[in-house]
Amino acid sequence: MDLQSTIEQLVVANRILALKGVLDSFGHISARHPEKPERYLMSRARSARVVEKEDILEYALDSKVVDSRGFRLFGERPIHGCIYRARPDVMAICHNHAYGLLPFAVTKRVMRPAIHMASAIGDEVHTWDIRDEFGETNLLVTTNEMGDSLAQFLGNRNAALMRGHGSVVAGKSIPEMVFIAYYLQINAEVLIHSEKLGEVQYLSREEVKLSTQLNLSPLAQERVWEDWVMQAGFPSPSSK
Amino acid sequence: MDLQSTIEQLVVANRILALKGVLDSFGHISARHPEKPERYLMSRARSARVVEKEDILEYALDSKVVDSRGFRLFGERPIHGCIYRARPDVMAICHNHAYGLLPFAVTKRVMRPAIHMASAIGDEVHTWDIRDEFGETNLLVTTNEMGDSLAQFLGNRNAALMRGHGSVVAGKSIPEMVFIAYYLQINAEVLIHSEKLGEVQYLSREEVKLSTQLNLSPLAQERVWEDWVMQAGFPSPSSK
Amino acid sequence: MDLQSTIEQLVVANRILALKGVLDSFGHISARHPEKPERYLMSRARSARVVEKEDILEYALDSKVVDSRGFRLFGERPIHGCIYRARPDVMAICHNHAYGLLPFAVTKRVMRPAIHMASAIGDEVHTWDIRDEFGETNLLVTTNEMGDSLAQFLGNRNAALMRGHGSVVAGKSIPEMVFIAYYLQINAEVLIHSEKLGEVQYLSREEVKLSTQLNLSPLAQERVWEDWVMQAGFPSPSSK
Amino acid sequence: MDLQSTIEQLVVANRILALKGVLDSFGHISARHPEKPERYLMSRARSARVVEKEDILEYALDSKVVDSRGFRLFGERPIHGCIYRARPDVMAICHNHAYGLLPFAVTKRVMRPAIHMASAIGDEVHTWDIRDEFGETNLLVTTNEMGDSLAQFLGNRNAALMRGHGSVVAGKSIPEMVFIAYYLQINAEVLIHSEKLGEVQYLSREEVKLSTQLNLSPLAQERVWEDWVMQAGFPSPSSK
């Protein structure tokens, strides 16, 4: 995908995640630059629902902006830069405060996937606590030291929760990142209501693996992407 | 009903179930061919919200497509073909991942109807676990062996849950299938919240039987169908 | 209020209660005839969201229709006729299956008001069980014997729950009935979530009385009615 | 900000809080007069969703209206006047019955912030009980004695719950008041669902302090305000 298409897809993804309640007025998503892997693309400091192509700026992996064009920037850029640096396979990142997953993020509870649509969150989603390494803070990941700590905690997983704060999700493409961020929230909501009904039957490790392969394949990805793009008010990508 | 009307009703039903959150970007519904009972009709692999008449294809009961017209097909067609084969009375089927019922589908808890509008789900809704017979899978029902197992588990009931996955619902008409799928989800949501209030008073077997007769009668069915068709943006079917 | 205004207000009330989720495709509301107190007005068998002025018919208090104009009628008319007969003070009635209150209606739990906006539901809302007197049924109140039993159970209260079914609400005007039906549902939802936080502080009997006087006064009633009428897409009633 | 801009912002804030479900047909917000600190501005008795510029009236701090223009007034004006009198730093106030926080307001449970977006509600949110000082009432704060009691209970905090009733929120600007009122509700909803997952990790006192500084800074405030203004259907304030 070329630069222009990546920027357009990033704008669409912003709108989808705002529509689905994954991003409220806060949180942000980025994509690795398609031609310069040591750069990433992300909006200036603006809410996802109103992000336009003109708002997308270019950042180095130390999260310094290439040209701010005078705009205010997100304070938590290091979440993005540090994960791209640590994970050459990651092409898109979402940092969000989705209300549906916050109940997990304010306890030390490990989240596991119980529904197959959420398998791509991985076997276990753990909660990173900024206090463990950085003591008393405003909870924001505003330095590369903090970003590196979070990136290391994430390891080779696709998702991590952040205590008292939200989550971070990494994908191999923008649609994949949107998909994982969305079903992370749904899995949390299902688990919250299933607790009182009986013992939860989580997916086995093998089921997680097989189900993830299927869910991240074109068969599933193209279907959901077409639906969400159209829900967000954009024309249907050609689909077969 | 003739073929053209069946296809049109199937499109309307797709939109209604998307609107009501029974189908998200995944899940699918089908109708038995009105003139060839050894065939069924279902969309190509596309989200319910955007299905059009041109997307509806014809399938044999072994779930081979008659003419794919080059389209990608749903992988879980065997859910439909195998149930139509096992149940000559069934004219329409819904496979969904409605979030409201997933808390039951991730536990081994049997669901029973507690509200009369949901009586048509039957006395008990059990959860089929693909792992019991097929071991580690991606949870999708992609072979006729799996479809036959699910169809046998469903037996002569109208609904079954699928562990870690969702549900399947069968009806004697498209509107009836939509109706049962919708109230299966509502019943689940009511039960989840009633647990903490005291002992749930489920419908008795006789109440389930009598209430189902009423709910599946034209008095109830025509009323709800008119409402839903109009909510989904289609003109009112003539009603008296 | 004259007959024409009453019919118009009844149509608006149908739309409001559909919008607010108090009525789904089922349930119905009525108003006592403003000139003939031994008659009441209610739609033909149609969903609240689509009821028009032309759908409103006139019924005697034994729930026989004056002129059906060939339309199909609600089977549960006796709920309305029997309460109007037993309660000369009641001018409007709502029978609904609001999902938010169903968790109470499927347990034997008595509901009490904990928030002042819901005080008009009365000190206690009890659940009538059709099985107690009529044994195994389809749960519908379809005879005057059943209607009389429910009316007697309601007594001089404004609201009662119906086991496995829903609720009935009575008011001294159409807006008052809409108001009580709406906050009955909200009170239920608040209670469901407050249980786990600690001991619920219900309103005292005197608070219920004083708060009801205030909430049913023009100061409160005109404010909420204007808001709801406009939300339902009708022009604002003149307000000062 | 001049008077005209304050009135316009107050109208926008009414619409935002109605859209977000913080205000239903009841509740009200005010702003201190930008030029006369011994006066405040608030709508006539009208629902937030329909408030217009022409509805905004001027009140003295004893909550007597300067010129009612014949309009009916909110009975609970003393909430506003008494807090402005006791708190020279407060520039805007919200009294609401947001459903999401009512479960806390009907128990004696102290609410604490667990998510950083809600830090500005302060370390602890306590519940004022009108019955403690005023005995049996209709729960409304309709006299300056009651208003003073509530203002004293609030002290130098930003938020207090009101037993069986709702909450009051104070801010240093209209957008700040809207922000705190919104996230008070979200914090309540997150806590209600987190209880069953394990021990809640509340923000520490230092985290509350640092996080509040950040959240009430222009970096955060301008972003969320632009988003909400546009969601409510108004043009974007210029943003950089």
Side-chain angles (χ1 to χ4, degrees):
Chain A
M1 219 161 58
D2 66 12
L3 178 59
Q4 195 53 34
S5 305
T6 303
I7 289 173
E8 285 169 9
Q9 202 177 49
L10 196 56
V11 170
V12 171
N14 267 285
R15 304 292 177 81
I16 290 171
L17 289 171
L19 186 74
K20 294 294 174 189
V22 173
L23 295 170
D24 68 352
S25 301
F26 298 99
H28 23 80
I29 59 174
S30 68
R32 195 186 288 270
H33 193 297
E35 290 149 9
K36 307 172 196 160
E38 75 292 357
R39 296 263 169 97
Y40 68 93
L41 305 162
M42 184 162 66
S43 170
R44 62 172 169 120
R46 215 178 182 201
S47 294
R49 203 177 321 255
V50 296
V51 163
E52 310 271 6
K53 276 186 283 183
E54 294 68 32
D55 297 319
I56 307 294
L57 303 175
E58 206 174 310
Y59 307 84
L61 295 194
D62 62 1
S63 291
K64 287 192 181 128
V65 71
V66 175
D67 175 3
S68 76
R69 306 207 309 265
F71 288 135
R72 182 178 282 157
L73 308 178
F74 290 124
E76 296 192 288
R77 300 185 304 284
I79 293 176
H80 302 263
C82 294
I83 293 174
Y84 287 122
R85 205 154 56 184
R87 290 276 300 275
D89 61 313
V90 166
M91 297 304 284
I93 293 170
C94 176
H95 166 57
N96 73 74
H97 312 160
Y99 305 153
L101 60 76
L102 288 177
F104 276 88
V106 304
T107 63
K108 295 283 187 189
R109 180 74 176 277
V110 175
M111 196 203 299
R112 294 173 54 194
I115 56 173
H116 76 107
M117 294 312 302
S119 56
I121 65 171
D123 287 317
E124 295 189 340
V125 182
H126 292 264
T127 301
W128 178 74
D129 191 341
I130 195 170
R131 192 156 47 192
D132 291 345
E133 198 167 336
F134 301 95
E136 304 289 345
T137 67
N138 64 12
L139 282 91
L140 296 207
V141 179
T142 52
T143 69
N144 283 326
E145 288 67 35
M146 290 170 171
D148 284 340
S149 168
L150 177 58
Q152 189 180 5
F153 185 88
L154 180 65
N156 58 6
R157 299 182 188 274
N158 291 338
L161 302 177
M162 302 159 75
R163 194 269 308 163
H165 186 163
S167 73
V168 63
V169 169
K172 307 249 180 310
S173 69
I174 294 174
E176 186 177 308
M177 167 273 286
V178 170
F179 180 85
I180 300 172
Y182 177 74
Y183 281 107
L184 178 65
Q185 173 184 281
I186 301 301
N187 192 63
E189 291 172 358
V190 168
L191 288 179
I192 284 164
H193 290 306
S194 60
E195 294 276 314
K196 67 193 85 145
L197 296 181
E199 197 191 350
V200 176
Q201 311 288 311
Y202 293 101
L203 301 187
S204 72
R205 281 179 181 273
E206 190 65 13
E207 284 175 336
V208 170
K209 193 180 130 200
L210 295 170
S211 193
T212 300
Q213 280 169 10
L214 186 283
N215 285 328
L216 302 184
S217 74
L219 174 67
Q221 287 293 306
E222 291 181 16
R223 196 185 317 165
V224 64
W225 189 248
E226 182 197 27
D227 187 20
W228 285 346
V229 166
M230 291 177 74
Q231 280 182 49
F234 295 89
S236 168
S238 64
S239 71
K240 265 279 171 160
Chain B
M1 219 161 59
D2 65 12
L3 177 59
Q4 195 54 32
S5 305
T6 303
I7 289 173
E8 284 168 9
Q9 201 176 49
L10 196 57
V11 170
V12 171
N14 267 285
R15 303 291 178 81
I16 291 171
L17 289 172
L19 186 74
K20 293 294 173 189
V22 173
L23 295 170
D24 69 351
S25 301
F26 298 98
H28 23 79
I29 59 175
S30 67
R32 194 187 288 270
H33 193 297
E35 290 148 9
K36 307 172 197 159
E38 77 293 356
R39 294 265 169 95
Y40 68 94
L41 304 162
M42 184 162 67
S43 170
R44 61 171 171 120
R46 213 175 185 204
S47 294
R49 203 177 324 255
V50 296
V51 163
E52 310 272 6
K53 276 184 284 182
E54 294 67 33
D55 297 320
I56 306 294
L57 303 175
E58 205 173 312
Y59 306 85
L61 295 194
D62 62 1
S63 293
K64 287 192 180 129
V65 69
V66 174
D67 175 4
S68 76
R69 305 207 308 268
F71 287 134
R72 182 179 283 157
L73 308 179
F74 290 124
E76 296 192 287
R77 301 187 302 284
I79 293 176
H80 302 262
C82 294
I83 293 175
Y84 287 121
R85 205 155 55 184
R87 290 276 299 275
D89 60 315
V90 167
M91 296 303 285
I93 292 170
C94 176
H95 166 57
N96 72 76
H97 312 160
Y99 306 154
L101 60 77
L102 288 177
F104 276 88
V106 303
T107 63
K108 294 284 187 189
R109 180 74 176 278
V110 175
M111 195 203 299
R112 295 173 54 193
I115 55 173
H116 76 108
M117 296 312 302
S119 56
I121 65 172
D123 287 317
E124 296 187 339
V125 181
H126 293 264
T127 300
W128 177 74
D129 191 340
I130 194 170
R131 192 155 48 191
D132 291 344
E133 198 166 337
F134 301 95
E136 303 290 345
T137 66
N138 63 13
L139 282 93
L140 296 207
V141 178
T142 52
T143 68
N144 283 326
E145 287 68 34
M146 290 170 171
D148 283 340
S149 168
L150 175 58
Q152 186 180 6
F153 185 88
L154 180 65
N156 57 8
R157 299 182 189 274
N158 291 337
L161 302 177
M162 301 160 76
R163 194 268 308 162
H165 186 164
S167 73
V168 63
V169 169
K172 308 251 182 307
S173 69
I174 294 175
E176 186 177 308
M177 167 273 284
V178 170
F179 179 85
I180 300 172
Y182 177 74
Y183 281 105
L184 178 66
Q185 174 187 18
I186 300 301
N187 192 63
E189 291 173 358
V190 168
L191 288 179
I192 284 164
H193 290 305
S194 60
E195 294 274 315
K196 68 192 86 149
L197 297 179
E199 196 192 349
V200 176
Q201 311 288 311
Y202 293 101
L203 301 187
S204 72
R205 280 179 182 273
E206 190 66 13
E207 285 175 336
V208 170
K209 192 180 131 200
L210 295 170
S211 192
T212 300
Q213 281 169 7
L214 187 282
N215 286 328
L216 301 184
S217 74
L219 175 67
Q221 286 294 305
E222 291 181 15
R223 197 184 318 165
V224 64
W225 189 247
E226 182 196 27
D227 187 20
W228 285 346
V229 166
M230 291 177 74
Q231 279 182 52
F234 296 88
S236 168
S238 63
S239 71
K240 265 279 173 162
Chain C
M1 219 159 61
D2 66 11
L3 177 59
Q4 195 54 30
S5 305
T6 303
I7 289 173
E8 284 169 10
Q9 202 177 49
L10 196 58
V11 170
V12 171
N14 268 286
R15 303 292 177 83
I16 291 172
L17 289 171
L19 186 73
K20 293 295 172 188
V22 173
L23 295 170
D24 68 352
S25 301
F26 298 98
H28 24 77
I29 60 174
S30 67
R32 194 187 288 270
H33 193 297
E35 290 149 8
K36 306 174 197 158
E38 76 292 358
R39 295 264 170 95
Y40 68 93
L41 304 162
M42 185 163 65
S43 170
R44 63 174 171 118
R46 214 176 183 204
S47 294
R49 202 177 323 254
V50 296
V51 163
E52 310 271 6
K53 275 185 284 182
E54 294 66 34
D55 298 319
I56 307 295
L57 305 174
E58 205 174 311
Y59 306 84
L61 296 194
D62 62 1
S63 292
K64 285 190 181 130
V65 70
V66 174
D67 175 5
S68 76
R69 306 206 309 267
F71 287 136
R72 180 180 285 157
L73 307 179
F74 290 124
E76 296 193 286
R77 299 186 305 283
I79 293 176
H80 301 263
C82 294
I83 293 175
Y84 286 122
R85 204 155 56 185
R87 289 277 300 275
D89 61 314
V90 166
M91 297 303 285
I93 293 169
C94 175
H95 167 57
N96 72 75
H97 313 159
Y99 305 154
L101 60 77
L102 288 177
F104 276 89
V106 304
T107 64
K108 295 282 187 190
R109 180 73 176 278
V110 175
M111 195 203 298
R112 293 173 54 195
I115 55 172
H116 76 107
M117 295 313 302
S119 56
I121 64 172
D123 288 316
E124 296 187 340
V125 182
H126 293 264
T127 300
W128 177 73
D129 191 340
I130 195 171
R131 192 157 47 192
D132 291 344
E133 197 167 337
F134 302 95
E136 303 291 345
T137 66
N138 63 13
L139 282 93
L140 295 207
V141 178
T142 51
T143 68
N144 284 325
E145 287 67 35
M146 290 171 172
D148 285 339
S149 167
L150 176 57
Q152 187 180 5
F153 185 88
L154 180 65
N156 57 7
R157 299 182 188 276
N158 291 337
L161 301 178
M162 301 161 75
R163 194 270 307 164
H165 185 165
S167 74
V168 63
V169 170
K172 310 253 180 304
S173 69
I174 293 174
E176 186 177 308
M177 167 272 285
V178 170
F179 180 85
I180 299 172
Y182 176 74
Y183 281 106
L184 178 67
Q185 175 187 16
I186 301 300
N187 191 63
E189 291 172 359
V190 169
L191 288 179
I192 284 163
H193 290 306
S194 60
E195 294 275 314
K196 68 192 83 143
L197 296 180
E199 195 192 348
V200 176
Q201 311 289 311
Y202 293 101
L203 300 187
S204 71
R205 280 180 182 271
E206 189 65 12
E207 285 175 336
V208 169
K209 193 179 130 201
L210 294 170
S211 192
T212 300
Q213 281 169 9
L214 187 283
N215 285 328
L216 301 184
S217 75
L219 175 67
Q221 286 294 305
E222 291 181 16
R223 195 183 319 165
V224 63
W225 189 248
E226 182 196 26
D227 188 20
W228 285 346
V229 166
M230 291 177 74
Q231 279 183 52
F234 295 90
S236 168
S238 63
S239 71
K240 266 278 172 159
Chain D
M1 218 161 61
D2 64 12
L3 177 59
Q4 195 54 32
S5 305
T6 303
I7 289 173
E8 284 169 9
Q9 203 177 47
L10 195 57
V11 170
V12 171
N14 267 287
R15 303 292 177 81
I16 291 171
L17 289 171
L19 186 73
K20 293 295 173 186
V22 174
L23 295 170
D24 68 352
S25 302
F26 298 98
H28 24 79
I29 59 174
S30 68
R32 194 187 288 269
H33 193 298
E35 291 149 8
K36 306 174 199 159
E38 74 293 358
R39 295 264 169 95
Y40 68 93
L41 304 162
M42 185 162 67
S43 170
R44 64 172 170 121
R46 215 175 182 203
S47 294
R49 203 178 322 255
V50 296
V51 164
E52 310 272 8
K53 277 186 283 182
E54 294 66 35
D55 297 320
I56 307 294
L57 304 175
E58 205 173 311
Y59 307 84
L61 295 194
D62 62 0
S63 292
K64 286 192 179 125
V65 71
V66 174
D67 175 3
S68 76
R69 305 208 308 267
F71 287 136
R72 182 179 283 159
L73 308 179
F74 289 125
E76 295 193 288
R77 301 186 303 283
I79 292 176
H80 302 263
C82 294
I83 293 175
Y84 286 123
R85 205 155 54 185
R87 290 277 300 275
D89 61 313
V90 166
M91 296 304 285
I93 293 170
C94 175
H95 166 57
N96 72 74
H97 313 160
Y99 306 152
L101 60 76
L102 288 176
F104 276 87
V106 304
T107 63
K108 295 283 188 189
R109 181 71 176 279
V110 175
M111 195 203 298
R112 294 174 56 194
I115 56 172
H116 76 107
M117 295 312 302
S119 56
I121 65 172
D123 288 316
E124 295 188 339
V125 181
H126 293 263
T127 300
W128 177 73
D129 191 340
I130 196 171
R131 191 156 47 190
D132 291 344
E133 199 168 335
F134 302 95
E136 303 290 346
T137 66
N138 63 12
L139 283 94
L140 296 207
V141 178
T142 52
T143 69
N144 284 326
E145 288 67 35
M146 289 170 171
D148 284 339
S149 167
L150 175 58
Q152 188 180 4
F153 185 88
L154 179 65
N156 58 6
R157 298 182 188 275
N158 291 337
L161 302 177
M162 302 160 75
R163 194 269 307 163
H165 185 164
S167 73
V168 63
V169 169
K172 309 251 179 308
S173 70
I174 294 174
E176 187 178 306
M177 165 273 284
V178 170
F179 180 85
I180 300 172
Y182 177 74
Y183 281 106
L184 178 66
Q185 173 184 267
I186 300 301
N187 192 63
E189 291 172 358
V190 169
L191 288 179
I192 284 163
H193 290 307
S194 59
E195 294 273 315
K196 68 193 84 149
L197 296 180
E199 195 192 348
V200 177
Q201 311 289 311
Y202 293 101
L203 301 187
S204 71
R205 280 180 181 273
E206 190 65 12
E207 285 174 336
V208 170
K209 193 180 129 199
L210 295 170
S211 192
T212 300
Q213 280 169 9
L214 187 282
N215 286 328
L216 301 184
S217 74
L219 176 67
Q221 287 293 305
E222 291 181 16
R223 196 185 317 166
V224 64
W225 189 248
E226 183 197 25
D227 188 20
W228 286 345
V229 166
M230 291 177 73
Q231 279 183 51
F234 295 90
S236 168
S238 64
S239 72
K240 267 277 172 161

